[in-house]
Amino acid sequence: MTRRRRLVRGIYIARPSRRTRSLIPSLETSRLLVARRQLLRLCYRAFAYCFRPDGHIMLPLALLCLGLASFRPAVAEGGHGHRHAASQSSSATVSSPASPASAADLSAGTGASSPSSTSSAVTSPAAAAAPTSSSVVTSAVAITQVTTTETTSATAAVATPQYVRPPVPTNWVWNNPANVLPDANWDIYAAMTTREYWWDISYAGGAPDGFPRRMTVVNGQYPGPLIEANTGDRIIVHVTNSIDEGQAIHWHGQLQNGTQYMDGVPGMTQCLIPPGSTFTYDFYLDAQQYGTYWWHSHQSNTMADGLVGAFIVHSSDEPAFQNVAYDEERIIFLQDWMHDQSDTIVSALVQDGGYYGSVAAPEGDAVLINGLGSGNCSLVHVPSECTDDLHASLAVPPNKKIRFRIINTSSHHMLRLSIDGHAFDVVEADGTTVSGATQVHEVPIAPAQRYSLIVDTSGGAAGDAFWIRARTAVECIAGGWVEDATAALRYVGPGQEAGTSLPTTSAWGDLLDPLLEPCVDLDHYSSLYSVKVAGPPTDTIASIAFSSTFGTFVNSTGVTFLGFGMNNVSWKNTINSPLLQEIENGGSLDPANVASVTFPDIGGADIVINNIGGPSHPFHLHGRKFWIVARGSGNIMANDIAGLSLNVTDAPLARDTLTIDANAYAVLRLVTDTPGVWGLHCHIGWHLAAGKLAAVVVQPAAVMQIARPADWQQLCYGTDPNAYGPDRKRAYPPQARAALPPDFAW
């Protein structure tokens, strides 16, 4: 994996990086850096504006920023060791397993693990055994790993970290190949049925990029168990929480019409599943909703620790389905990966000083493809065993058409995906069948977005290998670094074993420059039209505008921090008094805690999102897809919609997550036919955890009439209704504490 420095509109912006800073700053220095960072954010917008027709008005500020970018406060040495001075390093805060499993175990399932944490138990309570490494390699459709360098000790090149990391568990995570391989014999015509799963959330050791750390996973697997179903099926998932913090699972993209309490958002649609407890998610899939979805934790940003998985919904009504548009399918997960725990990062971001002296959302330490990535052991911050250059491997048959279902589970980065020598026909975006984008060489995928790409494998023969590339788009990240992640696409014939030699192919020559190209969606480059989807309503009964803002906010403990909000409100999560419960009880939402809008009736509605604060952001709406009927530069109000040229007739793209560029807006049209309280938020996980969320209340009178499951209400029993989250240590009821082992320490 290579890295290049972020260049903003032709000018380097100096940004202290936790990789490149040689000294950890003192608190006073951190405050100077925070102030500097805030100004640099303004500078970024000034530079961007200079390239617009009226950009000369920002030129003075842009020139001033040149001097600002070169200023860096002196770093005090007292009390802080030199980051690369091993002689000053104290004892390691990460303890490697006594007999550490290699990163290969994460791919092949050969590491030591306890049955309770690694049992697959996806379709029945019975545990499933992990395959041997040989069975993974010989399978023509298996996901394997290639290690190009031996495990090396990074101890001599590291120093004491600023943040304490928990010990690495000795039970090792399993990269289960079945979780990226949809059933080749799936019956899309099968009658509607109930599909039941048993999940256990636990800690496990893992090294997806070669650096061992504690992960949070389902059934000991990363990526997590695959859910595969047909439209109309009933989904039952029994989730046992075996870790020391509350959890909840969100079913990203599922409408939850009539089961809004199953949406899985702590503080919005449910209380947390306490440690030692089990909660059952039980809902029906919409009869008209098919495509590529996913599930993830919605508690703070713990999805960044490994709580992610695919959710595939089939239908005989889908225009592009197996044996017609394609022969086989694969799932490709993309994820930026951090070495620190997510709660460590979130806690730092909402405090004075930020994370490693920056209030900006952190860049990933690595980018993973199907759970493996190429880290750089020389950059590891703590003494540890570390392995360089890990690559996932995807085996496909030659002379076939393969549907790749791409899911970006990242917490920050838009990633641009390409495969050497293979063009893409895009057939799906966020569960909507689409047309218009054919023979595409590269697809930008923002966090939470999904695309299905048809790839023709007739361009080679069995034994050939090609690089799959995922590059970070950093034009929207001041001071960012380009990270190039790679995996191997291997042509494997019947009865053959996948090879292990690395590809020697070259990237397409027309790939976008990750340093300069704006972070925008695919529909900015290629026309995308919805297929077999009803168009948006031509009339509306209401319109509302939300503005995404960056500024100074006060959190629930009274601490001032630099961050993001909606309509100048940063969400204060009343973790034990969900917003849905407030509406069910006939109340209203506190405007001091959350920005919100209420649509009392069924009809067409427009939501304007203005991206005022900072660079590009991916926005996701729960409970409903929306049609993108307008985009533009600048900011508008709801009453400005009447003067816009709206696309309501030419098959506008319908999806659930879109990217809005800096100083730009989008108009989203929806139908208010799913009663509930739904989140509208930035899907940069670090921004969401810090409060970048608004609430959309739909038909509150109907919400009050929907029965509440007893076990759902039980989640909130005995908790402090005035608590704010995420609160790991004090938000749990007495019965949850009683279920914990006697020696457990809060």
Side-chain angles (χ1 to χ4, degrees):
M1 178 173 62
T2 59
R3 295 177 171 87
R4 284 186 285 163
R5 195 176 183 182
R6 165 75 179 96
L7 184 67
V8 179
R9 308 294 187 189
I11 300 174
Y12 280 110
I13 298 296
R15 178 177 187 261
S17 168
R18 53 197 175 77
R19 294 191 184 95
T20 58
R21 271 196 338 274
S22 61
L23 295 175
I24 299 172
S26 65
L27 178 60
E28 293 76 11
T29 302
S30 294
R31 288 171 174 164
L32 289 173
L33 291 172
V34 168
R36 179 175 174 275
R37 184 83 69 256
Q38 193 173 12
L39 290 173
L40 284 175
R41 290 285 185 179
L42 297 175
C43 290
Y44 170 83
R45 297 179 63 196
F47 284 122
Y49 207 94
C50 284
F51 286 80
R52 300 176 187 260
D54 57 346
H56 63 279
I57 64 176
M58 298 298 288
L59 185 58
L61 177 58
L63 293 175
L64 177 63
C65 287
L66 285 174
L68 173 66
S70 62
F71 167 73
R72 187 183 302 273
V75 180
E77 296 186 31
H80 300 284
H82 193 282
R83 191 168 284 244
H84 298 289
S87 62
Q88 299 177 10
S89 175
S90 63
S91 60
T93 56
V94 171
S95 57
S96 300
S99 299
S102 70
D105 300 327
L106 192 146
S107 175
T110 57
S113 57
S114 63
S116 62
S117 63
T118 60
S119 60
S120 149
V122 177
T123 56
S124 74
T132 63
S133 57
S134 60
S135 67
V136 174
V137 173
T138 57
S139 171
V141 293
I143 305 303
T144 61
Q145 168 212 337
V146 177
T147 304
T148 57
T149 61
E150 295 298 322
T151 301
T152 58
S153 174
T155 303
V158 299
T160 306
Q162 185 176 2
Y163 302 106
V164 175
R165 294 186 175 97
V168 179
T170 56
N171 55 299
W172 215 243
V173 75
W174 174 29
N175 189 319
N176 183 356
N179 293 336
V180 296
L181 296 173
D183 189 344
N185 299 311
W186 189 267
D187 184 3
I188 62 175
Y189 301 100
M192 289 184 291
T193 188
T194 297
R195 304 186 188 276
E196 195 165 9
Y197 305 82
W198 285 260
W199 287 3
D200 181 75
I201 298 175
S202 64
Y203 295 132
D209 68 334
F211 173 76
R213 56 155 289 184
R214 190 184 77 181
M215 299 175 61
T216 308
V217 293
V218 167
N219 293 348
Q221 302 170 37
Y222 173 74
L226 166 65
I227 290 181
E228 200 167 2
N230 285 336
T231 53
D233 284 351
R234 181 183 181 184
I235 304 297
I236 299 177
V237 186
H238 307 281
V239 178
T240 297
N241 182 14
S242 297
I243 62 176
D244 61 355
E245 63 175 304
Q247 271 299 336
I249 301 295
H250 170 56
W251 317 98
H252 188 108
Q254 298 305 319
L255 299 187
Q256 301 292 358
N257 195 358
T259 52
Q260 72 273 33
Y261 40 77
M262 294 294 166
D263 196 42
V265 184
M268 176 162 281
T269 62
Q270 72 168 84
C271 287
L272 290 165
I273 306 172
S277 299
T278 298
F279 177 71
T280 298
Y281 291 94
D282 186 348
F283 56 93
Y284 286 86
L285 301 179
D286 188 88
Q288 303 299 319
Q289 188 180 16
Y290 45 78
T292 306
Y293 301 92
W294 63 301
W295 59 264
H296 60 85
S297 168
H298 219 293
Q299 162 63 351
S300 189
N301 194 33
T302 49
M303 68 176 183
D305 298 322
L307 285 173
V308 298
F311 196 140
I312 307 302
V313 183
H314 300 281
S315 173
S316 59
D317 292 330
E318 186 175 12
F321 61 83
Q322 193 163 342
N323 299 323
V324 175
Y326 59 92
D327 301 293
E328 298 183 14
E329 56 184 302
R330 305 286 186 274
I331 298 169
I332 296 181
F333 288 95
L334 306 176
Q335 183 163 2
D336 51 22
W337 188 249
M338 302 298 298
H339 292 162
D340 280 321
Q341 298 291 305
S342 65
D343 60 348
T344 297
I345 299 171
V346 170
S347 297
L349 288 175
V350 296
Q351 299 294 326
D352 187 14
Y355 177 61
Y356 281 107
S358 173
V359 297
E363 299 173 68
D365 290 303
V367 173
L368 311 180
I369 300 177
N370 279 356
L372 288 174
S374 306
N376 187 334
C377 292
S378 66
L379 302 177
V380 172
H381 303 143
V382 296
S384 172
E385 293 297 316
C386 181
T387 303
D388 280 317
D389 295 332
L390 307 178
H391 303 279
S393 182
L394 286 78
V396 297
N399 301 311
K400 300 288 184 179
K401 288 189 175 180
I402 311 297
R403 177 179 184 170
F404 287 103
R405 298 179 183 264
I406 317 299
I407 306 173
N408 187 352
T409 66
S410 294
S411 293
H412 191 183
H413 282 295
M414 170 181 280
L415 296 167
R416 295 192 175 108
L417 182 81
S418 65
I419 303 178
D420 295 354
H422 294 72
F424 304 143
D425 289 343
V426 183
V427 297
E428 180 211 354
D430 291 0
T432 297
T433 302
V434 297
S435 65
T438 59
Q439 296 300 290
V440 175
H441 291 173
E442 185 178 48
V443 173
I445 310 171
Q449 289 184 337
R450 295 89 62 208
Y451 287 97
S452 282
L453 315 174
I454 303 297
V455 174
D456 190 335
T457 62
S458 61
D464 289 347
F466 307 84
W467 281 124
I468 302 171
R469 303 177 188 271
R471 299 193 303 171
T472 55
V474 297
E475 186 273 345
C476 50
I477 303 175
W481 295 78
V482 178
E483 299 188 49
D484 295 308
T486 52
L489 179 69
R490 302 186 183 282
Y491 286 8
V492 179
Q496 294 181 334
E497 294 187 2
T500 58
S501 60
L502 294 179
T504 58
T505 55
S506 299
W508 290 101
D510 58 351
L511 300 183
L512 299 175
D513 190 328
L515 294 167
L516 300 177
E517 193 66 27
C519 302
V520 293
D521 287 335
L522 179 62
D523 59 300
H524 281 259
Y525 307 107
S526 301
S527 298
L528 286 180
Y529 302 98
S530 297
V531 175
K532 208 172 182 178
V533 174
T538 55
D539 298 316
T540 58
I541 60 174
S543 300
I544 186 68
F546 285 113
S547 292
S548 164
T549 52
F550 176 79
T552 301
F553 299 94
V554 179
N555 67 19
S556 59
T557 63
V559 174
T560 300
F561 70 98
L562 291 172
F564 291 93
M566 301 289 282
N567 286 359
N568 295 315
V569 178
S570 181
W571 180 37
K572 297 182 181 67
N573 187 348
T574 50
I575 195 75
N576 299 323
S577 297
L579 304 182
L580 176 62
Q581 190 176 66
E582 294 294 321
I583 300 301
E584 287 180 332
N585 292 336
S588 58
L589 305 186
D590 186 345
N593 285 342
V594 64
S596 68
V597 60
T598 298
F599 297 117
D601 303 309
I602 297 179
D606 285 332
I607 296 179
V608 175
I609 303 179
N610 294 307
N611 183 14
I612 298 174
S616 300
H617 295 278
F619 289 92
H620 170 55
L621 176 64
H622 291 228
R624 199 66 170 85
K625 286 184 183 178
F626 49 78
W627 292 269
I628 306 171
V629 296
R631 289 182 182 267
S633 299
N635 309 133
I636 64 172
M637 302 302 293
N639 56 12
D640 295 323
I641 295 176
L644 299 177
S645 177
L646 303 179
N647 176 20
V648 295
T649 59
D650 191 20
L653 178 60
R655 66 185 317 166
D656 58 49
T657 308
L658 86 160
T659 303
I660 303 179
D661 200 7
N663 193 34
Y665 69 86
V667 180
L668 317 180
R669 182 158 294 185
L670 63 149
V671 179
T672 57
D673 59 354
T674 54
V677 180
W678 308 110
L680 173 62
H681 62 83
C682 175
H683 221 290
I684 294 175
W686 312 116
H687 292 172
L688 170 61
K692 194 176 176 65
L693 174 146
V696 178
V697 182
V698 177
Q699 298 183 55
V703 170
M704 294 172 62
Q705 302 303 314
I706 298 176
R708 316 174 200 179
D711 59 344
W712 178 83
Q713 298 183 69
Q714 186 71 15
L715 291 176
C716 301
Y717 174 73
T719 59
D720 178 4
N722 298 314
Y724 290 93
D727 185 343
R728 300 184 60 199
K729 304 302 182 187
R730 297 182 296 277
Y732 306 114
Q735 67 270 24
R737 294 173 180 265
L740 295 171
D743 58 347
F744 184 83
W746 287 92

